[in-house]
Amino acid sequence: MLFCWEDGRPPHPDTITRRFKKLAAAAGLPEIDLHDVRHSYVTAGRDAKIDWKALSHRIGHSDVAITMKQYVQTDLEADRQVANTLAQLIIGGSLASLAIADQADATSEGAA
């Protein structure tokens, strides 16, 4: 139980949702569902390089694979970094050298 009244009884879920929406609106935040806070929490933890196992345990998943399956696929920035790094390696690496050599061969054949 995350929330309870002073006497230990759990509040109705709508009570927590209404309170969350009221606080978020007062803070000037965009309206999101309360469950989306969980996704924001995990995404922030992932971006901060928090250990996957610790993060998985923290949000109550029984297996780290469940957490990774759910949240790794949404890491667009990491995917962008991989694409950029590989593009730099390809363009600036051996493939670029082959392209330059091919251009030199074509130039020398045209001069002959």
PDB file of all heavy atoms in Angstrom, residues 40-56 68 71-72 75-82:
ATOM      1  N   SER A  40       7.482   7.696 -16.671  1.00  0.00           N
ATOM      2  CA  SER A  40       8.417   8.822 -16.579  1.00  0.00           C
ATOM      3  C   SER A  40       9.518   8.510 -15.569  1.00  0.00           C
ATOM      4  O   SER A  40      10.687   8.819 -15.792  1.00  0.00           O
ATOM      5  CB  SER A  40       7.676  10.101 -16.162  1.00  0.00           C
ATOM      6  OG  SER A  40       6.725  10.450 -17.135  1.00  0.00           O
ATOM      7  N   TYR A  41       9.146   7.895 -14.467  1.00  0.00           N
ATOM      8  CA  TYR A  41      10.080   7.525 -13.401  1.00  0.00           C
ATOM      9  C   TYR A  41      11.146   6.567 -13.938  1.00  0.00           C
ATOM     10  O   TYR A  41      12.342   6.774 -13.751  1.00  0.00           O
ATOM     11  CB  TYR A  41       9.276   6.881 -12.272  1.00  0.00           C
ATOM     12  CG  TYR A  41      10.052   6.429 -11.069  1.00  0.00           C
ATOM     13  CD1 TYR A  41      10.328   7.312 -10.036  1.00  0.00           C
ATOM     14  CD2 TYR A  41      10.468   5.112 -10.934  1.00  0.00           C
ATOM     15  CE1 TYR A  41      11.012   6.900  -8.904  1.00  0.00           C
ATOM     16  CE2 TYR A  41      11.155   4.691  -9.811  1.00  0.00           C
ATOM     17  CZ  TYR A  41      11.427   5.595  -8.800  1.00  0.00           C
ATOM     18  OH  TYR A  41      12.101   5.167  -7.687  1.00  0.00           O
ATOM     19  N   VAL A  42      10.694   5.528 -14.637  1.00  0.00           N
ATOM     20  CA  VAL A  42      11.628   4.530 -15.164  1.00  0.00           C
ATOM     21  C   VAL A  42      12.493   5.138 -16.269  1.00  0.00           C
ATOM     22  O   VAL A  42      13.700   4.902 -16.331  1.00  0.00           O
ATOM     23  CB  VAL A  42      10.889   3.273 -15.675  1.00  0.00           C
ATOM     24  CG1 VAL A  42      11.860   2.301 -16.327  1.00  0.00           C
ATOM     25  CG2 VAL A  42      10.160   2.596 -14.528  1.00  0.00           C
ATOM     26  N   THR A  43      11.890   5.949 -17.123  1.00  0.00           N
ATOM     27  CA  THR A  43      12.659   6.578 -18.200  1.00  0.00           C
ATOM     28  C   THR A  43      13.735   7.487 -17.627  1.00  0.00           C
ATOM     29  O   THR A  43      14.881   7.479 -18.090  1.00  0.00           O
ATOM     30  CB  THR A  43      11.718   7.366 -19.133  1.00  0.00           C
ATOM     31  OG1 THR A  43      10.764   6.443 -19.700  1.00  0.00           O
ATOM     32  CG2 THR A  43      12.486   8.041 -20.250  1.00  0.00           C
ATOM     33  N   ALA A  44      13.393   8.257 -16.600  1.00  0.00           N
ATOM     34  CA  ALA A  44      14.388   9.129 -15.962  1.00  0.00           C
ATOM     35  C   ALA A  44      15.501   8.291 -15.340  1.00  0.00           C
ATOM     36  O   ALA A  44      16.685   8.623 -15.455  1.00  0.00           O
ATOM     37  CB  ALA A  44      13.726  10.013 -14.908  1.00  0.00           C
ATOM     38  N   GLY A  45      15.148   7.193 -14.702  1.00  0.00           N
ATOM     39  CA  GLY A  45      16.155   6.304 -14.114  1.00  0.00           C
ATOM     40  C   GLY A  45      17.044   5.683 -15.160  1.00  0.00           C
ATOM     41  O   GLY A  45      18.261   5.602 -15.003  1.00  0.00           O
ATOM     42  N   ARG A  46      16.434   5.265 -16.251  1.00  0.00           N
ATOM     43  CA  ARG A  46      17.207   4.682 -17.358  1.00  0.00           C
ATOM     44  C   ARG A  46      18.172   5.702 -17.937  1.00  0.00           C
ATOM     45  O   ARG A  46      19.340   5.418 -18.158  1.00  0.00           O
ATOM     46  CB  ARG A  46      16.240   4.185 -18.438  1.00  0.00           C
ATOM     47  CG  ARG A  46      16.941   3.571 -19.629  1.00  0.00           C
ATOM     48  CD  ARG A  46      16.099   3.597 -20.873  1.00  0.00           C
ATOM     49  NE  ARG A  46      15.838   4.977 -21.254  1.00  0.00           N
ATOM     50  CZ  ARG A  46      14.731   5.390 -21.840  1.00  0.00           C
ATOM     51  NH1 ARG A  46      13.763   4.544 -22.085  1.00  0.00           N
ATOM     52  NH2 ARG A  46      14.585   6.648 -22.178  1.00  0.00           N
ATOM     53  N   ASP A  47      17.679   6.920 -18.154  1.00  0.00           N
ATOM     54  CA  ASP A  47      18.528   7.968 -18.721  1.00  0.00           C
ATOM     55  C   ASP A  47      19.660   8.362 -17.775  1.00  0.00           C
ATOM     56  O   ASP A  47      20.716   8.810 -18.215  1.00  0.00           O
ATOM     57  CB  ASP A  47      17.692   9.201 -19.075  1.00  0.00           C
ATOM     58  CG  ASP A  47      16.764   8.951 -20.249  1.00  0.00           C
ATOM     59  OD1 ASP A  47      16.908   7.907 -20.932  1.00  0.00           O
ATOM     60  OD2 ASP A  47      15.874   9.792 -20.478  1.00  0.00           O
ATOM     61  N   ALA A  48      19.434   8.181 -16.464  1.00  0.00           N
ATOM     62  CA  ALA A  48      20.463   8.493 -15.467  1.00  0.00           C
ATOM     63  C   ALA A  48      21.425   7.319 -15.276  1.00  0.00           C
ATOM     64  O   ALA A  48      22.288   7.348 -14.404  1.00  0.00           O
ATOM     65  CB  ALA A  48      19.805   8.853 -14.132  1.00  0.00           C
ATOM     66  N   LYS A  49      21.262   6.279 -16.099  1.00  0.00           N
ATOM     67  CA  LYS A  49      22.139   5.098 -16.071  1.00  0.00           C
ATOM     68  C   LYS A  49      22.041   4.322 -14.752  1.00  0.00           C
ATOM     69  O   LYS A  49      23.004   3.703 -14.313  1.00  0.00           O
ATOM     70  CB  LYS A  49      23.600   5.462 -16.358  1.00  0.00           C
ATOM     71  CG  LYS A  49      23.811   6.296 -17.598  1.00  0.00           C
ATOM     72  CD  LYS A  49      23.494   5.514 -18.840  1.00  0.00           C
ATOM     73  CE  LYS A  49      23.884   6.324 -20.067  1.00  0.00           C
ATOM     74  NZ  LYS A  49      22.856   6.455 -21.039  1.00  0.00           N
ATOM     75  N   ILE A  50      20.867   4.346 -14.121  1.00  0.00           N
ATOM     76  CA  ILE A  50      20.646   3.545 -12.917  1.00  0.00           C
ATOM     77  C   ILE A  50      20.636   2.071 -13.322  1.00  0.00           C
ATOM     78  O   ILE A  50      20.102   1.713 -14.375  1.00  0.00           O
ATOM     79  CB  ILE A  50      19.329   3.945 -12.219  1.00  0.00           C
ATOM     80  CG1 ILE A  50      19.478   5.357 -11.644  1.00  0.00           C
ATOM     81  CG2 ILE A  50      18.940   2.955 -11.133  1.00  0.00           C
ATOM     82  CD1 ILE A  50      18.231   5.924 -11.023  1.00  0.00           C
ATOM     83  N   ASP A  51      21.224   1.242 -12.503  1.00  0.00           N
ATOM     84  CA  ASP A  51      21.299  -0.191 -12.749  1.00  0.00           C
ATOM     85  C   ASP A  51      19.903  -0.751 -13.039  1.00  0.00           C
ATOM     86  O   ASP A  51      18.955  -0.506 -12.303  1.00  0.00           O
ATOM     87  CB  ASP A  51      21.904  -0.877 -11.519  1.00  0.00           C
ATOM     88  CG  ASP A  51      21.933  -2.380 -11.661  1.00  0.00           C
ATOM     89  OD1 ASP A  51      22.743  -2.873 -12.458  1.00  0.00           O
ATOM     90  OD2 ASP A  51      21.127  -3.047 -10.963  1.00  0.00           O
ATOM     91  N   TRP A  52      19.791  -1.503 -14.142  1.00  0.00           N
ATOM     92  CA  TRP A  52      18.495  -2.047 -14.541  1.00  0.00           C
ATOM     93  C   TRP A  52      17.877  -2.935 -13.475  1.00  0.00           C
ATOM     94  O   TRP A  52      16.667  -2.898 -13.257  1.00  0.00           O
ATOM     95  CB  TRP A  52      18.637  -2.833 -15.848  1.00  0.00           C
ATOM     96  CG  TRP A  52      18.601  -1.972 -17.056  1.00  0.00           C
ATOM     97  CD1 TRP A  52      19.655  -1.653 -17.859  1.00  0.00           C
ATOM     98  CD2 TRP A  52      17.470  -1.299 -17.604  1.00  0.00           C
ATOM     99  NE1 TRP A  52      19.240  -0.818 -18.867  1.00  0.00           N
ATOM    100  CE2 TRP A  52      17.902  -0.589 -18.741  1.00  0.00           C
ATOM    101  CE3 TRP A  52      16.130  -1.228 -17.239  1.00  0.00           C
ATOM    102  CZ2 TRP A  52      17.045   0.174 -19.515  1.00  0.00           C
ATOM    103  CZ3 TRP A  52      15.274  -0.459 -18.017  1.00  0.00           C
ATOM    104  CH2 TRP A  52      15.733   0.230 -19.132  1.00  0.00           C
ATOM    105  N   LYS A  53      18.687  -3.739 -12.829  1.00  0.00           N
ATOM    106  CA  LYS A  53      18.141  -4.652 -11.820  1.00  0.00           C
ATOM    107  C   LYS A  53      17.571  -3.869 -10.640  1.00  0.00           C
ATOM    108  O   LYS A  53      16.481  -4.174 -10.155  1.00  0.00           O
ATOM    109  CB  LYS A  53      19.221  -5.623 -11.341  1.00  0.00           C
ATOM    110  CG  LYS A  53      18.679  -6.690 -10.416  1.00  0.00           C
ATOM    111  CD  LYS A  53      19.727  -7.734 -10.101  1.00  0.00           C
ATOM    112  CE  LYS A  53      19.109  -8.797  -9.206  1.00  0.00           C
ATOM    113  NZ  LYS A  53      20.041  -9.853  -8.895  1.00  0.00           N
ATOM    114  N   ALA A  54      18.298  -2.854 -10.190  1.00  0.00           N
ATOM    115  CA  ALA A  54      17.820  -2.032  -9.079  1.00  0.00           C
ATOM    116  C   ALA A  54      16.546  -1.279  -9.471  1.00  0.00           C
ATOM    117  O   ALA A  54      15.598  -1.198  -8.691  1.00  0.00           O
ATOM    118  CB  ALA A  54      18.905  -1.043  -8.650  1.00  0.00           C
ATOM    119  N   LEU A  55      16.521  -0.749 -10.680  1.00  0.00           N
ATOM    120  CA  LEU A  55      15.350  -0.021 -11.162  1.00  0.00           C
ATOM    121  C   LEU A  55      14.144  -0.954 -11.278  1.00  0.00           C
ATOM    122  O   LEU A  55      13.031  -0.617 -10.860  1.00  0.00           O
ATOM    123  CB  LEU A  55      15.670   0.621 -12.513  1.00  0.00           C
ATOM    124  CG  LEU A  55      14.681   1.620 -13.070  1.00  0.00           C
ATOM    125  CD1 LEU A  55      14.437   2.772 -12.110  1.00  0.00           C
ATOM    126  CD2 LEU A  55      15.193   2.152 -14.402  1.00  0.00           C
ATOM    127  N   SER A  56      14.369  -2.144 -11.805  1.00  0.00           N
ATOM    128  CA  SER A  56      13.315  -3.135 -11.948  1.00  0.00           C
ATOM    129  C   SER A  56      12.722  -3.507 -10.585  1.00  0.00           C
ATOM    130  O   SER A  56      11.507  -3.573 -10.406  1.00  0.00           O
ATOM    131  CB  SER A  56      13.860  -4.379 -12.644  1.00  0.00           C
ATOM    132  OG  SER A  56      12.862  -5.348 -12.795  1.00  0.00           O
ATOM    133  N   MET A  68      13.314  -4.240 -18.931  1.00  0.00           N
ATOM    134  CA  MET A  68      14.098  -3.901 -20.118  1.00  0.00           C
ATOM    135  C   MET A  68      13.256  -4.011 -21.384  1.00  0.00           C
ATOM    136  O   MET A  68      13.346  -3.157 -22.266  1.00  0.00           O
ATOM    137  CB  MET A  68      15.334  -4.785 -20.206  1.00  0.00           C
ATOM    138  CG  MET A  68      16.323  -4.503 -19.079  1.00  0.00           C
ATOM    139  SD  MET A  68      17.803  -5.487 -19.195  1.00  0.00           S
ATOM    140  CE  MET A  68      18.671  -4.555 -20.449  1.00  0.00           C
ATOM    141  N   TYR A  71      10.993  -0.870 -21.466  1.00  0.00           N
ATOM    142  CA  TYR A  71      11.559   0.475 -21.509  1.00  0.00           C
ATOM    143  C   TYR A  71      12.754   0.655 -22.432  1.00  0.00           C
ATOM    144  O   TYR A  71      13.033   1.773 -22.839  1.00  0.00           O
ATOM    145  CB  TYR A  71      11.913   0.935 -20.095  1.00  0.00           C
ATOM    146  CG  TYR A  71      10.681   1.068 -19.259  1.00  0.00           C
ATOM    147  CD1 TYR A  71      10.313   0.082 -18.353  1.00  0.00           C
ATOM    148  CD2 TYR A  71       9.838   2.171 -19.392  1.00  0.00           C
ATOM    149  CE1 TYR A  71       9.151   0.191 -17.609  1.00  0.00           C
ATOM    150  CE2 TYR A  71       8.686   2.285 -18.650  1.00  0.00           C
ATOM    151  CZ  TYR A  71       8.347   1.289 -17.760  1.00  0.00           C
ATOM    152  OH  TYR A  71       7.197   1.411 -17.035  1.00  0.00           O
ATOM    153  N   VAL A  72      13.467  -0.381 -22.798  1.00  0.00           N
ATOM    154  CA  VAL A  72      14.611  -0.221 -23.689  1.00  0.00           C
ATOM    155  C   VAL A  72      14.127   0.181 -25.073  1.00  0.00           C
ATOM    156  O   VAL A  72      14.726   1.025 -25.727  1.00  0.00           O
ATOM    157  CB  VAL A  72      15.470  -1.505 -23.758  1.00  0.00           C
ATOM    158  CG1 VAL A  72      16.479  -1.424 -24.885  1.00  0.00           C
ATOM    159  CG2 VAL A  72      16.196  -1.698 -22.441  1.00  0.00           C
ATOM    160  N   ASP A  75      13.974   3.940 -25.990  1.00  0.00           N
ATOM    161  CA  ASP A  75      15.156   4.777 -25.851  1.00  0.00           C
ATOM    162  C   ASP A  75      15.610   5.291 -27.220  1.00  0.00           C
ATOM    163  O   ASP A  75      16.590   4.828 -27.790  1.00  0.00           O
ATOM    164  CB  ASP A  75      16.271   4.002 -25.155  1.00  0.00           C
ATOM    165  CG  ASP A  75      17.374   4.910 -24.661  1.00  0.00           C
ATOM    166  OD1 ASP A  75      17.390   6.103 -25.033  1.00  0.00           O
ATOM    167  OD2 ASP A  75      18.221   4.435 -23.901  1.00  0.00           O
ATOM    168  N   LEU A  76      14.874   6.256 -27.750  1.00  0.00           N
ATOM    169  CA  LEU A  76      15.163   6.790 -29.078  1.00  0.00           C
ATOM    170  C   LEU A  76      16.496   7.537 -29.121  1.00  0.00           C
ATOM    171  O   LEU A  76      17.205   7.487 -30.120  1.00  0.00           O
ATOM    172  CB  LEU A  76      14.029   7.702 -29.529  1.00  0.00           C
ATOM    173  CG  LEU A  76      12.671   7.027 -29.682  1.00  0.00           C
ATOM    174  CD1 LEU A  76      11.610   8.065 -30.052  1.00  0.00           C
ATOM    175  CD2 LEU A  76      12.722   5.926 -30.705  1.00  0.00           C
ATOM    176  N   GLU A  77      16.844   8.216 -28.041  1.00  0.00           N
ATOM    177  CA  GLU A  77      18.099   8.963 -28.015  1.00  0.00           C
ATOM    178  C   GLU A  77      19.289   8.011 -28.092  1.00  0.00           C
ATOM    179  O   GLU A  77      20.251   8.266 -28.816  1.00  0.00           O
ATOM    180  CB  GLU A  77      18.191   9.846 -26.777  1.00  0.00           C
ATOM    181  CG  GLU A  77      19.449  10.690 -26.715  1.00  0.00           C
ATOM    182  CD  GLU A  77      19.641  11.600 -27.941  1.00  0.00           C
ATOM    183  OE1 GLU A  77      18.647  12.073 -28.505  1.00  0.00           O
ATOM    184  OE2 GLU A  77      20.800  11.811 -28.336  1.00  0.00           O
ATOM    185  N   ALA A  78      19.229   6.900 -27.372  1.00  0.00           N
ATOM    186  CA  ALA A  78      20.314   5.913 -27.437  1.00  0.00           C
ATOM    187  C   ALA A  78      20.411   5.343 -28.850  1.00  0.00           C
ATOM    188  O   ALA A  78      21.503   5.166 -29.381  1.00  0.00           O
ATOM    189  CB  ALA A  78      20.096   4.797 -26.423  1.00  0.00           C
ATOM    190  N   ASP A  79      19.270   5.086 -29.477  1.00  0.00           N
ATOM    191  CA  ASP A  79      19.264   4.574 -30.844  1.00  0.00           C
ATOM    192  C   ASP A  79      19.885   5.598 -31.796  1.00  0.00           C
ATOM    193  O   ASP A  79      20.670   5.243 -32.677  1.00  0.00           O
ATOM    194  CB  ASP A  79      17.835   4.246 -31.275  1.00  0.00           C
ATOM    195  CG  ASP A  79      17.796   3.604 -32.645  1.00  0.00           C
ATOM    196  OD1 ASP A  79      18.483   2.589 -32.846  1.00  0.00           O
ATOM    197  OD2 ASP A  79      17.072   4.136 -33.512  1.00  0.00           O
ATOM    198  N   ARG A  80      19.574   6.849 -31.594  1.00  0.00           N
ATOM    199  CA  ARG A  80      20.136   7.926 -32.415  1.00  0.00           C
ATOM    200  C   ARG A  80      21.655   7.974 -32.248  1.00  0.00           C
ATOM    201  O   ARG A  80      22.393   8.139 -33.222  1.00  0.00           O
ATOM    202  CB  ARG A  80      19.494   9.254 -31.998  1.00  0.00           C
ATOM    203  CG  ARG A  80      19.571  10.342 -33.012  1.00  0.00           C
ATOM    204  CD  ARG A  80      18.760  11.575 -32.609  1.00  0.00           C
ATOM    205  NE  ARG A  80      17.336  11.354 -32.796  1.00  0.00           N
ATOM    206  CZ  ARG A  80      16.420  11.372 -31.821  1.00  0.00           C
ATOM    207  NH1 ARG A  80      16.759  11.622 -30.585  1.00  0.00           N
ATOM    208  NH2 ARG A  80      15.155  11.162 -32.080  1.00  0.00           N
ATOM    209  N   GLN A  81      22.135   7.814 -31.010  1.00  0.00           N
ATOM    210  CA  GLN A  81      23.576   7.844 -30.758  1.00  0.00           C
ATOM    211  C   GLN A  81      24.278   6.673 -31.437  1.00  0.00           C
ATOM    212  O   GLN A  81      25.357   6.834 -32.007  1.00  0.00           O
ATOM    213  CB  GLN A  81      23.854   7.828 -29.256  1.00  0.00           C
ATOM    214  CG  GLN A  81      23.494   9.124 -28.568  1.00  0.00           C
ATOM    215  CD  GLN A  81      23.670   9.040 -27.056  1.00  0.00           C
ATOM    216  OE1 GLN A  81      23.916   7.976 -26.503  1.00  0.00           O
ATOM    217  NE2 GLN A  81      23.520  10.171 -26.393  1.00  0.00           N
ATOM    218  N   VAL A  82      23.663   5.498 -31.386  1.00  0.00           N
ATOM    219  CA  VAL A  82      24.242   4.323 -32.052  1.00  0.00           C
ATOM    220  C   VAL A  82      24.321   4.576 -33.553  1.00  0.00           C
ATOM    221  O   VAL A  82      25.356   4.337 -34.182  1.00  0.00           O
ATOM    222  CB  VAL A  82      23.416   3.052 -31.751  1.00  0.00           C
ATOM    223  CG1 VAL A  82      23.829   1.904 -32.656  1.00  0.00           C
ATOM    224  CG2 VAL A  82      23.561   2.654 -30.294  1.00  0.00           C
TER     225      VAL A  82
END
